[in-house]
Amino acid sequence: MAIRNIVILTGAGVSAESGVPTFRGPDGLWEGHRVQDVATPEAFARNPVLVQRFYDERRAALGRVEPNAAHRALARLDAEWPGALLLVTQNVDDLHERAGSTRLLHMHGELKRALCTGCGAAPAWEGDLSGNPPCPRCAAAALRPDIVWFGEMPYHMDAIGAAIDAADLFVSIGTSGAVYPAAGFVDWARSAGALTLEINLEPSAGTPLFDSARHGPAGVLVPAWVAELLG
Ligand code: OAD
């Protein structure tokens, strides 16, 4: 089957070699923090300062990391692939865009964006949110991180669904497949008739759902796969 339309899903593993911690497993972010203390609307209502500081630290840490070979290879694919391509990332870092990807959707939000709970504006944001800075649009001190927390609806689901329905190839890179709806994309893509490939450091819970899998570091495997695809 000729491949024209590609959907790529990335998770924390694609940024691991840049020095951004993943969520699960040893040294993962969820080892040092309880999800329900920092990544739910209830946590923010209960202890906004703790939650703002958690995301302020992670936003500041982005200034100390750089895109790696996997981000760069995906940006090359974006620039050179003649068919449809959509890169869907669960990551809230900005390493895909800094590498040059443009056909990109952040389904779990972005660290470098704030969300005003007053007026709904989502301004680009570089600094801290603890300290309650005013919203640039409505001036209310009502900004939260523009991060999709547990219990909230991921962004761009209509556009992602349309791309998966039209996909000939679905590739999942560096994600444990533990969080829905992203973990369900492989089944969805298969039902839509796409070939499916997993690239991950190690087998994941979802590995049996894929037509094929390659296991090893994304910084090595993704450039090799992109080079194959571009011939
Ligand atoms: P996880 O931490 O659950 O999984 C990261 C995956 O990357 C694991 O399967 C690792 O084996 C793999 N990995 C680690 N280093 C790698 C490397 N160098 N090359 C390739 N793979 C590597 O992270 P996600 O699956 O992204 O949601 O987690 C999904 C969501 O759960 C996140 O978006 C976040 C979290 O709670 C929100 O914050 C809303």
Side-chain angles (χ1 to χ4, degrees):
M1 180 178 74
I3 292 167
R4 229 191 112 64
N5 302 337
I6 303 176
V7 175
I8 301 162
L9 172 70
T10 61
V14 83
S15 295
E17 288 158 74
S18 294
V20 180
T22 62
F23 292 93
R24 293 168 186 83
D27 302 327
L29 266 181
W30 296 154
E31 284 296 296
H33 301 269
R34 288 178 353 128
V35 172
Q36 53 281 36
D37 288 342
V38 290
T40 62
E42 294 76 19
F44 186 59
R46 206 165 47 230
N47 195 342
V49 175
L50 176 87
V51 173
Q52 295 284 27
R53 284 199 184 132
F54 175 77
Y55 288 101
D56 282 351
E57 273 168 33
R58 298 184 58 210
R59 190 179 306 106
L62 294 185
R64 302 189 287 272
V65 298
E66 296 292 335
N68 66 51
H71 299 108
R72 288 194 296 273
L74 293 173
R76 176 186 170 210
L77 185 63
D78 186 355
E80 297 183 20
W81 184 251
L85 179 143
L86 180 63
L87 175 54
V88 179
T89 189
Q90 298 169 88
N91 298 343
V92 295
D93 66 50
D94 60 349
L95 295 177
H96 282 308
E97 45 270 60
R98 277 162 60 189
S101 283
T102 56
R103 293 185 269 178
L104 168 69
L105 293 176
H106 280 272
M107 67 178 291
H108 289 166
E110 299 170 59
L111 281 168
K112 293 250 181 115
R113 212 169 271 289
L115 175 65
C116 181
T117 58
C119 73
W125 204 265
E126 295 283 338
D128 286 349
L129 286 172
S130 50
N132 295 320
C135 169
R137 187 160 85 185
C138 74
L143 295 175
R144 57 166 271 186
D146 192 12
I147 302 286
V148 176
W149 285 324
F150 286 91
E152 296 182 325
M153 183 62 81
Y155 291 148
H156 311 299
M157 286 304 295
D158 288 351
I160 294 168
I164 294 176
D165 281 339
D168 305 310
L169 175 64
F170 172 79
V171 187
S172 167
I173 303 173
T175 174
S176 62
V179 174
Y180 283 82
F185 290 172
V186 57
D187 264 338
W188 186 346
R190 284 179 73 143
S191 311
L195 279 172
T196 56
L197 166 67
E198 173 181 72
I199 298 178
N200 202 50
L201 188 60
E202 60 205 354
S204 73
T207 299
L209 302 172
F210 290 84
D211 295 311
S212 58
R214 300 179 183 189
H215 294 134
V220 175
L221 295 187
V222 176
W225 168 70
V226 167
E228 270 170 45
L229 204 60
L230 291 175

